[in-house]
Amino acid sequence: MLGFGGGELMSFEKKKLGEVYKHIKSCGGNGVVRRLLSHSQSQNQNSSTKLGFLVNRKPDGVPCRASSSSAAATATATETATAAAADLSSLVRHYGRCYSELAKARLSLLVVATSGTGFVLGSGSAIDIVGLCWTCTGTMMVAASANSLNQVFEIKNDALMKRTMRRPLPSGRISVPHAVAWAASVGVAGTALLACKANMLTAGLAASNLILYAFVYTPLKQIHPINTWVGAVVGAIPPLLGWTAAAGQVTLNGMLLPAALYFWQIPHFMALAYLCRNDYAAGGYRMLSLADASGHRTASVALRNCLYLIPLGYLAYDWGVTSGWFCLESSLITLAISGAALSFYQDRTTQKARRMFHASLLYLPVFMSGLLFHRLTDNQQSLTEENSEKMIELSSSTETIVKESRNSGRKNKSSNTSVDRKAQPPVAYASVAPFPFLPAPFLCPLICIESSNFFWLT
């Protein structure tokens, strides 16, 4: 069929069909002929469509294959684009995972939560949502930078510990210069963001906390067990950072949540250091639990700092930060973590240390939630202060009235006694004193006549 053109093929088939039509018509099959003709026409159209690529020729007789080559080029380009997109996606996932592990994403989110709580507590009656978002973003960036620098300085130590040997730097998934560039860029950007969107005090606190964590706490972990207390200071700064971002200054009320964070971190890290003491020893870190074979000092330090948390709820109520319900709730949860610490102090086992660790994990979110739920706004604080001042004035006025009434009573008594003494004549005294059985004489006008030193009565 390749030797026929499209028109020759159609004329040949029409000629054959005409002969068949004449034969069937002579036999009386007009309806059959119509159906055959319609079917043959549709078949001719399909055949001409199918053979179109064969009869479409250039003037010099060379067949045109442009459509097939363009389809192949399109398929190749699609495959290349798909492969490039897959490579880019895998690269993004790889570095995204590395950056997340360098930043210690879960720990950084906890830091952001404490900073956000401090911002809300320092906001008063109106909370600036945009400012809160900027503060949380800047805090997250600075925390990510500090954690990344911490891992840069501890590559060799992390490679010796089972808990940390799979991190990006010890495992070789990312290079040290890349990690340093990431940490520096994120830290500078986060500090600048806090300076622009919050204030310079907040940016200064963030920068100082980054330096304290990366360049003081990190090397101190391999020198002295006091690193735990320095790390507690580092953890207490973010809520103060949030407070200053909202209030613009450091006040006594703003120190409540940082104090809670400081005292909470000691039992938290003491439990963790006791549970991972073999890992810390392998990594070359100096923790209190490593020099305390019996665990007595570790447990006593944890219990003591849990007890320091007890008055914080009352102080929050007394200073007008929260309502009285928070005082009760804070006391209950503090007694719970103190009970876990006491249990660990009495029986220093891994099970009791893990229980205290879990209690510390539960304490912090409950404490911060209670602060946010029971916090008092500026209007409520002013009403509370006015009520307290009125109560003080009322009590002072009541005391003044009582004192005045007592003084007036004493004066009345003294005046009555003096009047009684002046009203009684000397005869009454004479009649009463030497002769008590005689009645007092009837008083009459007294006429005194002096005659030879005697007084006559008439």
Side-chain angles (χ1 to χ4, degrees):
M1 295 177 64
L2 294 176
F4 293 100
E8 296 175 353
L9 180 62
M10 292 178 64
S11 61
F12 175 76
E13 290 181 353
K14 285 181 179 180
K15 191 181 293 183
K16 290 292 185 182
L17 286 172
E19 296 177 356
V20 174
Y21 172 72
K22 290 179 181 178
H23 177 70
I24 294 175
K25 188 177 180 180
S26 61
C27 299
N30 294 330
V32 177
V33 172
R34 293 191 186 93
R35 286 195 296 270
L36 286 173
L37 285 174
S38 62
H39 178 71
S40 64
Q41 289 176 359
S42 63
Q43 290 293 330
N44 289 336
Q45 292 177 358
N46 292 335
S47 62
S48 63
T49 303
K50 292 177 181 178
L51 294 175
F53 73 94
L54 295 174
V55 300
N56 188 13
R57 298 173 180 271
K58 291 183 179 180
D60 56 355
V62 180
C64 180
R65 301 184 180 274
S67 59
S68 60
S69 61
S70 62
T74 304
T76 305
T78 303
E79 292 177 357
T80 305
T82 304
D87 293 340
L88 180 62
S89 177
S90 62
L91 190 66
V92 170
R93 284 198 302 269
H94 170 74
Y95 282 109
R97 192 180 300 111
C98 290
Y99 292 152
S100 176
E101 293 180 17
L102 283 174
K104 298 180 183 178
R106 288 184 294 179
L107 179 60
S108 296
L109 287 175
L110 178 61
V111 173
V112 170
T114 60
S115 177
T117 304
F119 187 95
V120 174
L121 292 176
S123 296
S125 56
I127 300 174
D128 183 9
I129 302 299
V130 177
L132 175 62
C133 294
W134 285 122
T135 303
C136 291
T137 303
T139 305
M140 182 70 181
M141 296 173 74
V142 175
S145 175
N147 289 324
S148 301
L149 290 175
N150 172 266
Q151 294 186 50
V152 169
F153 295 142
E154 295 180 346
I155 298 176
K156 296 181 180 179
N157 305 86
D158 288 345
L160 299 175
M161 299 172 61
K162 294 180 180 180
R163 189 170 59 91
T164 58
M165 62 175 53
R166 295 181 181 179
R167 287 177 175 175
L169 288 171
S171 61
R173 286 183 287 150
I174 195 172
S175 63
V176 175
H178 192 158
V180 172
W182 150 259
S185 59
V186 173
V188 171
T191 306
L193 183 65
L194 290 174
C196 295
K197 299 298 181 180
N199 49 62
M200 293 303 298
L201 177 60
T202 304
L205 285 173
S208 62
N209 205 30
L210 190 154
I211 294 171
L212 184 63
Y213 183 79
F215 299 99
V216 178
Y217 167 72
T218 298
L220 198 60
K221 289 168 66 177
Q222 305 177 41
I223 299 174
H224 197 273
I226 201 174
N227 66 81
T228 303
W229 283 263
V230 177
V233 173
V234 173
I237 291 179
L240 183 61
L241 184 151
W243 179 279
T244 58
Q249 60 183 350
V250 178
T251 60
L252 187 61
N253 291 350
M255 298 300 295
L256 277 172
L257 187 56
L261 262 294
Y262 177 84
F263 293 128
W264 166 82
Q265 286 178 95
I266 304 301
H268 175 77
F269 283 115
M270 288 298 165
L272 182 63
Y274 188 84
L275 292 171
C276 303
R277 57 188 182 276
N278 295 329
D279 239 8
Y280 283 127
Y285 296 114
R286 299 293 183 89
M287 298 296 172
L288 182 64
S289 60
L290 300 182
D292 183 24
S294 64
H296 182 268
R297 291 179 60 193
T298 304
S300 63
V301 169
L303 177 59
R304 184 166 62 247
N305 283 270
C306 286
L307 296 177
Y308 292 156
L309 291 168
I310 293 178
L312 293 180
Y314 173 75
L315 291 177
Y317 166 67
D318 186 60
W319 293 351
V321 179
T322 62
S323 64
W325 285 105
F326 176 75
C327 180
L328 177 61
E329 294 174 1
S330 175
S331 301
L332 291 176
I333 60 175
T334 305
L335 289 176
I337 189 175
S338 300
L342 179 62
S343 177
F344 175 57
Y345 178 79
Q346 294 174 343
D347 185 15
R348 294 176 293 277
T349 60
T350 304
Q351 180 182 3
K352 295 300 178 62
R354 185 173 288 107
R355 182 177 299 175
M356 186 178 71
F357 180 74
H358 290 159
S360 67
L361 291 178
L362 181 64
Y363 172 85
L364 188 60
V366 174
F367 184 85
M368 292 194 301
S369 300
L371 274 175
L372 294 176
F373 186 76
H374 295 291
R375 77 182 187 95
L376 297 178
T377 61
D378 291 340
N379 297 331
Q380 292 172 331
Q381 290 179 10
S382 61
L383 288 176
T384 304
E385 292 176 357
E386 290 177 1
N387 292 333
S388 62
E389 291 177 357
K390 289 180 180 179
M391 291 295 294
I392 293 172
E393 292 177 357
L394 181 61
S395 61
S396 61
S397 62
T398 305
E399 292 177 356
T400 305
I401 292 172
V402 171
K403 289 181 180 179
E404 291 178 353
S405 63
R406 289 178 179 175
N407 293 332
S408 62
R410 291 174 181 173
K411 291 180 180 179
N412 292 332
K413 288 182 180 179
S414 61
S415 62
N416 290 333
T417 54
S418 61
V419 169
D420 292 340
R421 289 176 182 175
K422 291 180 180 179
Q424 292 178 354
V427 177
Y429 280 98
S431 63
V432 170
F435 307 105
F437 54 89
L438 293 177
F442 178 76
L443 294 177
C444 59
L446 182 61
I447 301 174
C448 298
I449 302 174
E450 182 178 359
S451 174
S452 59
N453 296 329
F454 288 96
F455 292 94
W456 297 89
L457 297 176
T458 59

